[in-house]
Amino acid sequence: MRLLFLWLGMIALLLGVLGVIVPVLPTTPFVLLAAACFARSSERFHRHLLAHRIAGPIVREWDEHRSMPPGVKPWAFGLMFLSFGVSLVLVPTAWHRLMLLAIAAVLSFFLWRVPVRAPASQDSDSPVKGD
């Protein structure tokens, strides 16, 4: 099982890295999946991912709070709509545009559902819906 989780983690991490380049492929869910797989298969890879300067804070935030930090969700929506907008302009057929719109709708729904952690100045550490 450990070998299976290790391979799944590697594939998820590769897809996450590819998601930085490909507009429609999300990065963060694949990085979180890789972290979960590495936690079950390789302590070394899991520590390395947590120590990474870009991926580490994302994984730790999700691990500790199961939420997004304040201010990140508007950026995520903006970049998602920008990348899907460019993709919609570039694809040649109506079928591809409909497919992209469906994917964007599903991703928007899931992003909307992720709670936002209350700002650090508040006493509560509980996530806040919306934002």
Side-chain angles (χ1 to χ4, degrees):
M1 275 314 269
R2 286 179 52 139
L3 189 59
L4 175 66
F5 278 118
L6 182 63
W7 277 105
L8 286 174
M10 292 292 187
I11 291 168
L13 190 57
L14 180 64
L15 288 171
V17 169
L18 195 59
V20 172
I21 301 163
V22 178
V24 178
L25 196 61
T27 299
T28 303
F30 286 118
V31 172
L32 293 174
L33 177 61
C37 289
F38 290 153
R40 288 164 180 76
S41 63
S42 170
E43 187 178 328
R44 185 176 129 232
F45 282 122
H46 190 249
R47 273 195 324 259
H48 185 68
L49 192 59
L50 287 174
H52 191 270
R53 68 180 180 86
I54 296 172
I58 295 168
V59 174
R60 279 191 302 278
E61 177 73 28
W62 185 256
D63 250 2
E64 293 171 11
H65 304 287
R66 291 287 191 253
S67 64
M68 299 173 89
V72 171
K73 194 179 278 194
W75 275 99
F77 271 118
L79 290 173
M80 186 179 73
F81 288 133
L82 178 69
S83 66
F84 273 100
V86 169
S87 298
L88 286 169
V89 170
L90 295 177
V91 296
T93 64
W95 167 247
H96 288 117
R97 288 187 187 109
L98 285 172
M99 183 182 66
L100 284 171
L101 285 172
I103 294 169
V106 170
L107 288 176
S108 295
F109 175 74
F110 281 112
L111 182 58
W112 173 70
R113 300 261 308 146
V114 174
V116 174
R117 184 169 41 91
S121 62
Q122 294 179 358
D123 293 338
S124 173
D125 235 6
S126 64
V128 178
K129 287 282 185 184
D131 193 25

PDB file of all heavy atoms in Angstrom, residues 47-75:
ATOM      1  N   ARG A  47       7.845  15.538   4.561  1.00  0.00           N
ATOM      2  CA  ARG A  47       8.617  16.619   5.179  1.00  0.00           C
ATOM      3  C   ARG A  47       9.152  17.580   4.125  1.00  0.00           C
ATOM      4  O   ARG A  47       9.139  18.797   4.316  1.00  0.00           O
ATOM      5  CB  ARG A  47       9.785  16.037   5.985  1.00  0.00           C
ATOM      6  CG  ARG A  47       9.442  15.674   7.387  1.00  0.00           C
ATOM      7  CD  ARG A  47      10.699  15.450   8.230  1.00  0.00           C
ATOM      8  NE  ARG A  47      11.788  14.833   7.494  1.00  0.00           N
ATOM      9  CZ  ARG A  47      12.120  13.548   7.551  1.00  0.00           C
ATOM     10  NH1 ARG A  47      11.441  12.734   8.323  1.00  0.00           N
ATOM     11  NH2 ARG A  47      13.125  13.076   6.856  1.00  0.00           N
ATOM     12  N   HIS A  48       9.625  17.029   3.008  1.00  0.00           N
ATOM     13  CA  HIS A  48      10.167  17.864   1.933  1.00  0.00           C
ATOM     14  C   HIS A  48       9.069  18.774   1.360  1.00  0.00           C
ATOM     15  O   HIS A  48       9.311  19.953   1.101  1.00  0.00           O
ATOM     16  CB  HIS A  48      10.767  16.988   0.837  1.00  0.00           C
ATOM     17  CG  HIS A  48      11.448  17.751  -0.239  1.00  0.00           C
ATOM     18  ND1 HIS A  48      12.620  18.451  -0.037  1.00  0.00           N
ATOM     19  CD2 HIS A  48      11.103  17.955  -1.540  1.00  0.00           C
ATOM     20  CE1 HIS A  48      12.978  19.042  -1.158  1.00  0.00           C
ATOM     21  NE2 HIS A  48      12.067  18.766  -2.088  1.00  0.00           N
ATOM     22  N   LEU A  49       7.878  18.233   1.178  1.00  0.00           N
ATOM     23  CA  LEU A  49       6.766  19.035   0.657  1.00  0.00           C
ATOM     24  C   LEU A  49       6.369  20.118   1.657  1.00  0.00           C
ATOM     25  O   LEU A  49       6.114  21.260   1.275  1.00  0.00           O
ATOM     26  CB  LEU A  49       5.575  18.127   0.339  1.00  0.00           C
ATOM     27  CG  LEU A  49       4.443  18.736  -0.467  1.00  0.00           C
ATOM     28  CD1 LEU A  49       4.928  19.239  -1.818  1.00  0.00           C
ATOM     29  CD2 LEU A  49       3.346  17.706  -0.680  1.00  0.00           C
ATOM     30  N   LEU A  50       6.326  19.786   2.941  1.00  0.00           N
ATOM     31  CA  LEU A  50       6.000  20.773   3.968  1.00  0.00           C
ATOM     32  C   LEU A  50       7.061  21.862   4.077  1.00  0.00           C
ATOM     33  O   LEU A  50       6.754  23.003   4.433  1.00  0.00           O
ATOM     34  CB  LEU A  50       5.824  20.097   5.326  1.00  0.00           C
ATOM     35  CG  LEU A  50       4.559  19.276   5.510  1.00  0.00           C
ATOM     36  CD1 LEU A  50       4.592  18.548   6.847  1.00  0.00           C
ATOM     37  CD2 LEU A  50       3.325  20.133   5.395  1.00  0.00           C
ATOM     38  N   ALA A  51       8.303  21.536   3.752  1.00  0.00           N
ATOM     39  CA  ALA A  51       9.387  22.510   3.831  1.00  0.00           C
ATOM     40  C   ALA A  51       9.500  23.369   2.575  1.00  0.00           C
ATOM     41  O   ALA A  51      10.230  24.367   2.573  1.00  0.00           O
ATOM     42  CB  ALA A  51      10.714  21.788   4.074  1.00  0.00           C
ATOM     43  N   HIS A  52       8.784  23.017   1.532  1.00  0.00           N
ATOM     44  CA  HIS A  52       8.859  23.774   0.281  1.00  0.00           C
ATOM     45  C   HIS A  52       8.323  25.188   0.502  1.00  0.00           C
ATOM     46  O   HIS A  52       7.306  25.378   1.156  1.00  0.00           O
ATOM     47  CB  HIS A  52       8.057  23.057  -0.810  1.00  0.00           C
ATOM     48  CG  HIS A  52       8.290  23.611  -2.173  1.00  0.00           C
ATOM     49  ND1 HIS A  52       7.523  24.617  -2.682  1.00  0.00           N
ATOM     50  CD2 HIS A  52       9.213  23.304  -3.117  1.00  0.00           C
ATOM     51  CE1 HIS A  52       7.947  24.911  -3.898  1.00  0.00           C
ATOM     52  NE2 HIS A  52       8.975  24.136  -4.174  1.00  0.00           N
ATOM     53  N   ARG A  53       8.985  26.184  -0.068  1.00  0.00           N
ATOM     54  CA  ARG A  53       8.621  27.571   0.210  1.00  0.00           C
ATOM     55  C   ARG A  53       7.270  27.970  -0.368  1.00  0.00           C
ATOM     56  O   ARG A  53       6.613  28.861   0.161  1.00  0.00           O
ATOM     57  CB  ARG A  53       9.707  28.532  -0.269  1.00  0.00           C
ATOM     58  CG  ARG A  53       9.864  28.612  -1.757  1.00  0.00           C
ATOM     59  CD  ARG A  53      10.973  29.611  -2.145  1.00  0.00           C
ATOM     60  NE  ARG A  53      11.117  29.695  -3.565  1.00  0.00           N
ATOM     61  CZ  ARG A  53      10.394  30.491  -4.353  1.00  0.00           C
ATOM     62  NH1 ARG A  53       9.501  31.289  -3.822  1.00  0.00           N
ATOM     63  NH2 ARG A  53      10.571  30.499  -5.652  1.00  0.00           N
ATOM     64  N   ILE A  54       6.809  27.316  -1.413  1.00  0.00           N
ATOM     65  CA  ILE A  54       5.515  27.657  -2.005  1.00  0.00           C
ATOM     66  C   ILE A  54       4.439  26.656  -1.574  1.00  0.00           C
ATOM     67  O   ILE A  54       3.365  27.038  -1.112  1.00  0.00           O
ATOM     68  CB  ILE A  54       5.607  27.714  -3.548  1.00  0.00           C
ATOM     69  CG1 ILE A  54       6.551  28.839  -3.952  1.00  0.00           C
ATOM     70  CG2 ILE A  54       4.227  27.926  -4.163  1.00  0.00           C
ATOM     71  CD1 ILE A  54       6.879  28.875  -5.419  1.00  0.00           C
ATOM     72  N   ALA A  55       4.699  25.377  -1.719  1.00  0.00           N
ATOM     73  CA  ALA A  55       3.690  24.357  -1.409  1.00  0.00           C
ATOM     74  C   ALA A  55       3.509  24.166   0.099  1.00  0.00           C
ATOM     75  O   ALA A  55       2.406  23.860   0.549  1.00  0.00           O
ATOM     76  CB  ALA A  55       4.066  23.031  -2.056  1.00  0.00           C
ATOM     77  N   GLY A  56       4.567  24.347   0.871  1.00  0.00           N
ATOM     78  CA  GLY A  56       4.505  24.107   2.312  1.00  0.00           C
ATOM     79  C   GLY A  56       3.425  24.898   3.029  1.00  0.00           C
ATOM     80  O   GLY A  56       2.619  24.318   3.766  1.00  0.00           O
ATOM     81  N   PRO A  57       3.367  26.223   2.841  1.00  0.00           N
ATOM     82  CA  PRO A  57       2.316  26.987   3.532  1.00  0.00           C
ATOM     83  C   PRO A  57       0.896  26.569   3.138  1.00  0.00           C
ATOM     84  O   PRO A  57      -0.006  26.574   3.969  1.00  0.00           O
ATOM     85  CB  PRO A  57       2.592  28.433   3.107  1.00  0.00           C
ATOM     86  CG  PRO A  57       4.038  28.459   2.750  1.00  0.00           C
ATOM     87  CD  PRO A  57       4.331  27.096   2.181  1.00  0.00           C
ATOM     88  N   ILE A  58       0.704  26.201   1.887  1.00  0.00           N
ATOM     89  CA  ILE A  58      -0.621  25.767   1.431  1.00  0.00           C
ATOM     90  C   ILE A  58      -1.028  24.492   2.169  1.00  0.00           C
ATOM     91  O   ILE A  58      -2.139  24.388   2.688  1.00  0.00           O
ATOM     92  CB  ILE A  58      -0.617  25.520  -0.090  1.00  0.00           C
ATOM     93  CG1 ILE A  58      -0.376  26.823  -0.839  1.00  0.00           C
ATOM     94  CG2 ILE A  58      -1.905  24.859  -0.549  1.00  0.00           C
ATOM     95  CD1 ILE A  58      -0.070  26.631  -2.318  1.00  0.00           C
ATOM     96  N   VAL A  59      -0.114  23.538   2.230  1.00  0.00           N
ATOM     97  CA  VAL A  59      -0.407  22.254   2.873  1.00  0.00           C
ATOM     98  C   VAL A  59      -0.612  22.446   4.373  1.00  0.00           C
ATOM     99  O   VAL A  59      -1.554  21.901   4.956  1.00  0.00           O
ATOM    100  CB  VAL A  59       0.717  21.235   2.597  1.00  0.00           C
ATOM    101  CG1 VAL A  59       0.502  19.953   3.372  1.00  0.00           C
ATOM    102  CG2 VAL A  59       0.811  20.956   1.104  1.00  0.00           C
ATOM    103  N   ARG A  60       0.246  23.244   5.005  1.00  0.00           N
ATOM    104  CA  ARG A  60       0.108  23.469   6.455  1.00  0.00           C
ATOM    105  C   ARG A  60      -1.203  24.181   6.785  1.00  0.00           C
ATOM    106  O   ARG A  60      -1.876  23.843   7.758  1.00  0.00           O
ATOM    107  CB  ARG A  60       1.299  24.265   6.988  1.00  0.00           C
ATOM    108  CG  ARG A  60       2.517  23.397   7.233  1.00  0.00           C
ATOM    109  CD  ARG A  60       3.588  24.151   8.014  1.00  0.00           C
ATOM    110  NE  ARG A  60       4.028  25.382   7.360  1.00  0.00           N
ATOM    111  CZ  ARG A  60       4.935  25.425   6.384  1.00  0.00           C
ATOM    112  NH1 ARG A  60       5.494  24.317   5.955  1.00  0.00           N
ATOM    113  NH2 ARG A  60       5.292  26.570   5.851  1.00  0.00           N
ATOM    114  N   GLU A  61      -1.569  25.176   5.979  1.00  0.00           N
ATOM    115  CA  GLU A  61      -2.832  25.895   6.210  1.00  0.00           C
ATOM    116  C   GLU A  61      -4.011  24.929   6.166  1.00  0.00           C
ATOM    117  O   GLU A  61      -4.891  24.966   7.023  1.00  0.00           O
ATOM    118  CB  GLU A  61      -3.002  26.988   5.150  1.00  0.00           C
ATOM    119  CG  GLU A  61      -4.306  27.743   5.243  1.00  0.00           C
ATOM    120  CD  GLU A  61      -4.371  28.702   6.413  1.00  0.00           C
ATOM    121  OE1 GLU A  61      -3.316  29.203   6.848  1.00  0.00           O
ATOM    122  OE2 GLU A  61      -5.485  28.957   6.896  1.00  0.00           O
ATOM    123  N   TRP A  62      -4.016  24.061   5.163  1.00  0.00           N
ATOM    124  CA  TRP A  62      -5.122  23.116   5.044  1.00  0.00           C
ATOM    125  C   TRP A  62      -5.089  22.099   6.186  1.00  0.00           C
ATOM    126  O   TRP A  62      -6.121  21.745   6.743  1.00  0.00           O
ATOM    127  CB  TRP A  62      -5.089  22.414   3.688  1.00  0.00           C
ATOM    128  CG  TRP A  62      -6.282  21.545   3.503  1.00  0.00           C
ATOM    129  CD1 TRP A  62      -6.342  20.190   3.586  1.00  0.00           C
ATOM    130  CD2 TRP A  62      -7.618  21.976   3.246  1.00  0.00           C
ATOM    131  NE1 TRP A  62      -7.624  19.748   3.392  1.00  0.00           N
ATOM    132  CE2 TRP A  62      -8.431  20.836   3.175  1.00  0.00           C
ATOM    133  CE3 TRP A  62      -8.206  23.227   3.063  1.00  0.00           C
ATOM    134  CZ2 TRP A  62      -9.797  20.902   2.929  1.00  0.00           C
ATOM    135  CZ3 TRP A  62      -9.574  23.289   2.818  1.00  0.00           C
ATOM    136  CH2 TRP A  62     -10.337  22.134   2.753  1.00  0.00           C
ATOM    137  N   ASP A  63      -3.887  21.635   6.534  1.00  0.00           N
ATOM    138  CA  ASP A  63      -3.745  20.662   7.626  1.00  0.00           C
ATOM    139  C   ASP A  63      -4.233  21.226   8.955  1.00  0.00           C
ATOM    140  O   ASP A  63      -4.931  20.557   9.701  1.00  0.00           O
ATOM    141  CB  ASP A  63      -2.275  20.279   7.776  1.00  0.00           C
ATOM    142  CG  ASP A  63      -1.989  18.864   7.350  1.00  0.00           C
ATOM    143  OD1 ASP A  63      -2.922  18.181   6.906  1.00  0.00           O
ATOM    144  OD2 ASP A  63      -0.828  18.454   7.470  1.00  0.00           O
ATOM    145  N   GLU A  64      -3.858  22.469   9.261  1.00  0.00           N
ATOM    146  CA  GLU A  64      -4.157  23.050  10.560  1.00  0.00           C
ATOM    147  C   GLU A  64      -5.572  23.612  10.660  1.00  0.00           C
ATOM    148  O   GLU A  64      -6.200  23.534  11.712  1.00  0.00           O
ATOM    149  CB  GLU A  64      -3.154  24.165  10.871  1.00  0.00           C
ATOM    150  CG  GLU A  64      -1.745  23.656  11.075  1.00  0.00           C
ATOM    151  CD  GLU A  64      -0.729  24.781  11.169  1.00  0.00           C
ATOM    152  OE1 GLU A  64      -1.139  25.958  11.282  1.00  0.00           O
ATOM    153  OE2 GLU A  64       0.473  24.475  11.120  1.00  0.00           O
ATOM    154  N   HIS A  65      -6.070  24.210   9.583  1.00  0.00           N
ATOM    155  CA  HIS A  65      -7.337  24.944   9.689  1.00  0.00           C
ATOM    156  C   HIS A  65      -8.445  24.448   8.760  1.00  0.00           C
ATOM    157  O   HIS A  65      -9.579  24.890   8.886  1.00  0.00           O
ATOM    158  CB  HIS A  65      -7.107  26.434   9.396  1.00  0.00           C
ATOM    159  CG  HIS A  65      -6.084  27.064  10.272  1.00  0.00           C
ATOM    160  ND1 HIS A  65      -6.324  27.354  11.596  1.00  0.00           N
ATOM    161  CD2 HIS A  65      -4.806  27.437  10.025  1.00  0.00           C
ATOM    162  CE1 HIS A  65      -5.239  27.897  12.124  1.00  0.00           C
ATOM    163  NE2 HIS A  65      -4.303  27.954  11.199  1.00  0.00           N
ATOM    164  N   ARG A  66      -8.117  23.592   7.796  1.00  0.00           N
ATOM    165  CA  ARG A  66      -9.088  23.135   6.793  1.00  0.00           C
ATOM    166  C   ARG A  66      -9.791  24.332   6.146  1.00  0.00           C
ATOM    167  O   ARG A  66     -11.005  24.367   5.975  1.00  0.00           O
ATOM    168  CB  ARG A  66     -10.133  22.207   7.394  1.00  0.00           C
ATOM    169  CG  ARG A  66      -9.601  20.865   7.823  1.00  0.00           C
ATOM    170  CD  ARG A  66      -9.304  20.008   6.594  1.00  0.00           C
ATOM    171  NE  ARG A  66      -9.039  18.637   6.946  1.00  0.00           N
ATOM    172  CZ  ARG A  66      -7.835  18.081   6.905  1.00  0.00           C
ATOM    173  NH1 ARG A  66      -6.795  18.788   6.546  1.00  0.00           N
ATOM    174  NH2 ARG A  66      -7.661  16.822   7.193  1.00  0.00           N
ATOM    175  N   SER A  67      -8.992  25.365   5.849  1.00  0.00           N
ATOM    176  CA  SER A  67      -9.552  26.586   5.283  1.00  0.00           C
ATOM    177  C   SER A  67      -8.491  27.320   4.470  1.00  0.00           C
ATOM    178  O   SER A  67      -7.342  26.900   4.406  1.00  0.00           O
ATOM    179  CB  SER A  67     -10.050  27.499   6.410  1.00  0.00           C
ATOM    180  OG  SER A  67      -8.960  27.910   7.209  1.00  0.00           O
ATOM    181  N   MET A  68      -8.920  28.430   3.876  1.00  0.00           N
ATOM    182  CA  MET A  68      -8.008  29.298   3.136  1.00  0.00           C
ATOM    183  C   MET A  68      -7.722  30.527   3.998  1.00  0.00           C
ATOM    184  O   MET A  68      -8.586  30.965   4.754  1.00  0.00           O
ATOM    185  CB  MET A  68      -8.659  29.773   1.832  1.00  0.00           C
ATOM    186  CG  MET A  68      -9.023  28.671   0.878  1.00  0.00           C
ATOM    187  SD  MET A  68      -9.950  29.311  -0.524  1.00  0.00           S
ATOM    188  CE  MET A  68      -8.601  29.694  -1.613  1.00  0.00           C
ATOM    189  N   PRO A  69      -6.532  31.096   3.863  1.00  0.00           N
ATOM    190  CA  PRO A  69      -6.272  32.338   4.589  1.00  0.00           C
ATOM    191  C   PRO A  69      -7.118  33.473   4.010  1.00  0.00           C
ATOM    192  O   PRO A  69      -7.515  33.423   2.849  1.00  0.00           O
ATOM    193  CB  PRO A  69      -4.785  32.616   4.356  1.00  0.00           C
ATOM    194  CG  PRO A  69      -4.253  31.500   3.568  1.00  0.00           C
ATOM    195  CD  PRO A  69      -5.374  30.614   3.148  1.00  0.00           C
ATOM    196  N   PRO A  70      -7.396  34.496   4.799  1.00  0.00           N
ATOM    197  CA  PRO A  70      -8.179  35.623   4.297  1.00  0.00           C
ATOM    198  C   PRO A  70      -7.503  36.266   3.084  1.00  0.00           C
ATOM    199  O   PRO A  70      -6.287  36.398   3.024  1.00  0.00           O
ATOM    200  CB  PRO A  70      -8.199  36.602   5.476  1.00  0.00           C
ATOM    201  CG  PRO A  70      -7.840  35.800   6.664  1.00  0.00           C
ATOM    202  CD  PRO A  70      -6.999  34.661   6.191  1.00  0.00           C
ATOM    203  N   GLY A  71      -8.299  36.646   2.110  1.00  0.00           N
ATOM    204  CA  GLY A  71      -7.787  37.335   0.933  1.00  0.00           C
ATOM    205  C   GLY A  71      -7.361  36.429  -0.203  1.00  0.00           C
ATOM    206  O   GLY A  71      -7.145  36.902  -1.324  1.00  0.00           O
ATOM    207  N   VAL A  72      -7.225  35.140   0.040  1.00  0.00           N
ATOM    208  CA  VAL A  72      -6.758  34.226  -1.008  1.00  0.00           C
ATOM    209  C   VAL A  72      -7.888  33.855  -1.969  1.00  0.00           C
ATOM    210  O   VAL A  72      -7.674  33.732  -3.172  1.00  0.00           O
ATOM    211  CB  VAL A  72      -6.129  32.961  -0.383  1.00  0.00           C
ATOM    212  CG1 VAL A  72      -5.841  31.915  -1.429  1.00  0.00           C
ATOM    213  CG2 VAL A  72      -4.867  33.332   0.365  1.00  0.00           C
ATOM    214  N   LYS A  73      -9.089  33.716  -1.433  1.00  0.00           N
ATOM    215  CA  LYS A  73     -10.206  33.281  -2.273  1.00  0.00           C
ATOM    216  C   LYS A  73     -10.496  34.262  -3.424  1.00  0.00           C
ATOM    217  O   LYS A  73     -10.682  33.823  -4.560  1.00  0.00           O
ATOM    218  CB  LYS A  73     -11.457  33.048  -1.440  1.00  0.00           C
ATOM    219  CG  LYS A  73     -12.523  32.281  -2.207  1.00  0.00           C
ATOM    220  CD  LYS A  73     -13.755  32.020  -1.380  1.00  0.00           C
ATOM    221  CE  LYS A  73     -13.575  30.834  -0.497  1.00  0.00           C
ATOM    222  NZ  LYS A  73     -14.854  30.362   0.081  1.00  0.00           N
ATOM    223  N   PRO A  74     -10.523  35.576  -3.197  1.00  0.00           N
ATOM    224  CA  PRO A  74     -10.740  36.485  -4.336  1.00  0.00           C
ATOM    225  C   PRO A  74      -9.651  36.348  -5.409  1.00  0.00           C
ATOM    226  O   PRO A  74      -9.942  36.396  -6.607  1.00  0.00           O
ATOM    227  CB  PRO A  74     -10.712  37.881  -3.717  1.00  0.00           C
ATOM    228  CG  PRO A  74     -11.057  37.672  -2.285  1.00  0.00           C
ATOM    229  CD  PRO A  74     -10.522  36.309  -1.928  1.00  0.00           C
ATOM    230  N   TRP A  75      -8.413  36.156  -4.978  1.00  0.00           N
ATOM    231  CA  TRP A  75      -7.326  35.949  -5.943  1.00  0.00           C
ATOM    232  C   TRP A  75      -7.534  34.658  -6.720  1.00  0.00           C
ATOM    233  O   TRP A  75      -7.312  34.595  -7.934  1.00  0.00           O
ATOM    234  CB  TRP A  75      -5.973  35.913  -5.231  1.00  0.00           C
ATOM    235  CG  TRP A  75      -5.401  37.268  -5.015  1.00  0.00           C
ATOM    236  CD1 TRP A  75      -5.450  37.994  -3.867  1.00  0.00           C
ATOM    237  CD2 TRP A  75      -4.714  38.069  -5.973  1.00  0.00           C
ATOM    238  NE1 TRP A  75      -4.836  39.195  -4.054  1.00  0.00           N
ATOM    239  CE2 TRP A  75      -4.366  39.269  -5.339  1.00  0.00           C
ATOM    240  CE3 TRP A  75      -4.358  37.884  -7.306  1.00  0.00           C
ATOM    241  CZ2 TRP A  75      -3.688  40.281  -5.988  1.00  0.00           C
ATOM    242  CZ3 TRP A  75      -3.676  38.895  -7.951  1.00  0.00           C
ATOM    243  CH2 TRP A  75      -3.344  40.069  -7.307  1.00  0.00           C
TER     244      TRP A  75
END
